[in-house]
Amino acid sequence: MTPRAGYPARHQNPGVERLTRVVEAGYRRCHGAPKEHEGVHPVMTAHAAEPTPVVPPMPERNPKALRAAIAQHAPQLLPNFDEHWKWAVADAYDISTVPAFMARWWGEFAVARDPKLDAHMADLHHRAAESTDIAEAKALLEEASHIRHEVQRLEPGQ
């Protein structure tokens, strides 16, 4: 794949590019399109001035690899991950629950590993909770749901 000009290397992956487009479209719907000033795109200048955090790749799609990735890159999720594992799988002595467990935590890690995406999701949920307009709240939650569905499509290494 040919790298796209103006995008950090982490956006050269098709899955990440698709997710980036979804988030950018949602941002434009919520905040409007950025305005140009003297031919310089304000978003590009802000990104050039601040270091771009590197989003770690998705791990192999198994509980052990996912737990290790959470421990390394999103340790705030680890207590809930371990508690959910104990309740849903270990104490139940039922491995049939592993696919549902993995689906949930795959999405949780995919969002938490990217600080900008995590902040955007938190903003969507906060604004939906504070909204007095049911249509606006619904639209915000639908956008969050769409992002959650998109991150489920990410593959290991993306």
Side-chain angles (χ1 to χ4, degrees):
M1 173 186 314
T2 306
R4 293 180 357 190
Y7 283 84
R10 73 172 200 251
H11 292 295
Q12 304 308 320
N13 184 304
V16 174
E17 285 183 23
R18 181 177 61 241
L19 182 58
T20 300
R21 285 192 305 272
V22 168
V23 171
E24 288 173 351
Y27 183 87
R28 283 191 300 276
R29 275 195 309 275
C30 295
H31 303 287
K35 296 183 176 32
E36 293 189 31
H37 179 68
E38 298 176 342
V40 177
H41 195 280
V43 173
M44 294 303 286
T45 56
H47 287 283
E50 51 190 62
T52 303
V54 176
V55 177
M58 292 300 289
E60 290 300 313
R61 203 179 279 261
N62 65 65
K64 184 176 180 180
L66 183 56
R67 187 185 187 284
I70 288 173
Q72 183 177 0
H73 302 292
Q76 71 279 11
L77 298 179
L78 198 54
N80 289 337
F81 177 92
D82 287 341
E83 182 181 328
H84 188 197
W85 176 266
K86 186 175 182 325
W87 170 81
V89 182
D91 286 350
Y93 294 98
D94 184 3
I95 62 169
S96 70
T97 60
V98 172
F101 176 88
M102 284 298 297
R104 177 196 174 184
W105 287 99
W106 188 260
E108 291 290 330
F109 176 69
V111 171
R113 72 189 177 128
D114 183 343
K116 288 181 181 179
L117 180 57
D118 196 26
H120 180 65
M121 290 290 284
D123 180 57
L124 289 172
H125 287 110
H126 174 73
R127 289 177 31 227
E130 297 293 318
S131 179
T132 57
D133 178 6
I134 191 76
E136 177 188 25
K138 180 181 177 192
L140 292 165
L141 293 175
E142 284 175 351
E143 181 180 343
S145 176
H146 182 70
I147 292 169
R148 291 228 178 257
H149 283 29
E150 284 294 315
V151 299
Q152 290 297 325
R153 295 181 185 174
L154 291 173
E155 294 293 330
Q158 290 186 321

